[in-house]
Amino acid sequence: MIIGTIVDGIVIDHIPAGRGMDLYRDLGLDKLECEVAVIKNASSGKYGKKDILKINEVIDLNYDMLGYIDPHITVNIIRGGERMEKIHPHLPETITGVIRCKNPRCITSIEQELPHIFRLTDREHGVYRCLYCDTKGGKR
């Protein structure tokens, strides 16, 4: 399989195997006009298998979402065919609009325009709780 070289763009690497398409949709990559490659189940010496996203354009990314999905994900910014920056997203203290509160009595169920905001309550286990009702959001 041959995937073209990126001159100016982004490579999102070390995505947990099978999560690449979810991330593709969550980041809105399906709306881009540029080339985007989704590589599923690539060999990884560290993890066994991984997914990779290659975007042939430098775009703004939601690093909070990437850190929430898996803090082992790496983002490589490519300019002029060379990696200029390697970013390791981390678990954000708060995350907005990524997790939805499942509590039917939460204010976010009644007030549809309120953003779903979750705060990190257990860094070791990656547990998030709703800012409004304290319902556990957990990992995706």
Side-chain angles (χ1 to χ4, degrees), residues 99-112 116 118 129-130 132-137:
I99 313 168
R100 297 191 60 79
C101 188
K102 296 176 183 141
N103 180 356
R105 290 183 267 161
C106 181
I107 189 77
T108 58
S109 295
I110 299 161
E111 301 291 333
Q112 299 292 324
H116 289 256
F118 281 73
R129 292 190 175 273
C130 177
Y132 306 103
C133 71
D134 208 39
T135 297
K136 184 177 175 182

Side-chain angles (χ1 to χ4, degrees), residues 39-66:
I39 303 164
K40 291 185 61 168
N41 298 317
S43 295
S44 169
K46 199 172 193 179
Y47 302 109
K49 290 187 175 189
K50 65 181 178 179
D51 288 359
I52 303 168
L53 291 173
K54 291 178 120 183
I55 307 162
N56 204 18
E57 186 175 299
V58 178
I59 61 168
D60 289 329
L61 291 174
N62 184 338
Y63 290 103
D64 286 345
M65 179 187 298
L66 292 170

Side-chain angles (χ1 to χ4, degrees), residues 3-53:
I3 306 283
T5 303
I6 292 180
V7 176
D8 292 306
I10 297 173
V11 177
I12 304 173
D13 200 358
H14 304 293
I15 302 167
R19 298 293 308 272
M21 284 304 295
D22 294 335
L23 194 55
Y24 175 84
R25 282 187 291 277
D26 291 345
L27 290 172
L29 301 180
D30 55 331
K31 295 171 181 64
L32 295 177
E33 295 293 322
C34 66
E35 295 174 340
V36 178
V38 179
I39 303 164
K40 291 185 61 168
N41 298 317
S43 295
S44 169
K46 199 172 193 179
Y47 302 109
K49 290 187 175 189
K50 65 181 178 179
D51 288 359
I52 303 168
L53 291 173

